[in-house]
Amino acid sequence: MGDFNLLFPTQVYDCVRCGKSCGGWRVLVEPAAVDFLEKLPQAKKARSQGYIPLQVHPDGWGHIGFDERGKCFFLSPDRLCEVHKEWGFAKKPRTCQQFPFFLVDTPEGHQVGLSFCCTAVQQNHGRPLENQRADLEQL
């Protein structure tokens, strides 16, 4: 990504594992992640219970479905992402990897903002974003 500007340079962030953001909104899933997620035990279990864990569109993209509580099928009872826990950060859909960050290319360069829907962002909980620059560059 190279150089980028943090829109909130004094903000700090580390996930507080509230699970609040893991449901209730349309999570776009790229085709490679759709293929991976469709084969996971959580997706098979959801299908066996009559749910649609991933709604796949004709172009191969999809979005994650929700259980009766409105939560992602890949969220564990302890509010951790089972994909992240079992298979690693890189196997999560890109939307999930990036949340709560907003990454925008502008004529002035790359801008990184945050979603204030996120509990950790609201609480200003965690490490300084400047210390997370290497991780942000990978996104």
Side-chain angles (χ1 to χ4, degrees):
M1 185 177 197
D3 289 333
F4 60 86
N5 296 315
L6 296 170
L7 296 179
F8 305 100
T10 60
Q11 179 74 38
V12 300
Y13 170 76
D14 274 311
C15 183
V16 294
R17 297 181 176 135
C18 68
K20 182 175 100 177
S21 300
C22 298
W25 59 291
R26 192 175 173 115
V27 176
L28 187 64
V29 181
E30 65 277 14
V34 166
D35 292 341
F36 175 75
L37 295 174
E38 282 278 70
K39 298 172 187 164
L40 296 183
Q42 295 85 354
K44 292 177 184 176
K45 179 180 176 185
R47 280 192 294 277
S48 75
Q49 295 173 340
Y51 292 106
I52 300 171
L54 288 159
Q55 294 184 357
V56 183
H57 306 284
D59 62 1
W61 287 79
H63 65 274
I64 292 177
F66 305 113
D67 65 13
E68 68 281 351
R69 300 169 301 140
K71 294 295 179 186
C72 173
F73 288 106
F74 303 98
L75 188 66
S76 68
D78 61 355
R79 297 184 310 260
L80 295 174
C81 175
E82 291 188 13
V83 175
H84 189 142
K85 186 168 39 173
E86 297 292 326
W87 294 278
F89 177 82
K91 287 293 190 178
K92 295 188 332 184
R94 188 156 184 82
T95 300
C96 299
Q97 289 178 24
Q98 291 179 347
F99 189 84
F101 300 104
F102 287 112
L103 311 170
V104 180
D105 290 330
T106 70
E108 292 78 34
H110 306 291
Q111 304 288 322
V112 178
L114 290 153
S115 170
F116 283 84
C117 292
C118 172
T119 301
V121 173
Q122 290 173 7
Q123 295 173 352
N124 204 30
H125 170 83
R127 298 170 289 145
L129 293 183
E130 187 59 44
N131 295 355
Q132 300 180 51
R133 188 170 282 271
D135 292 336
L136 291 170
E137 285 177 355
Q138 289 183 0
L139 294 176

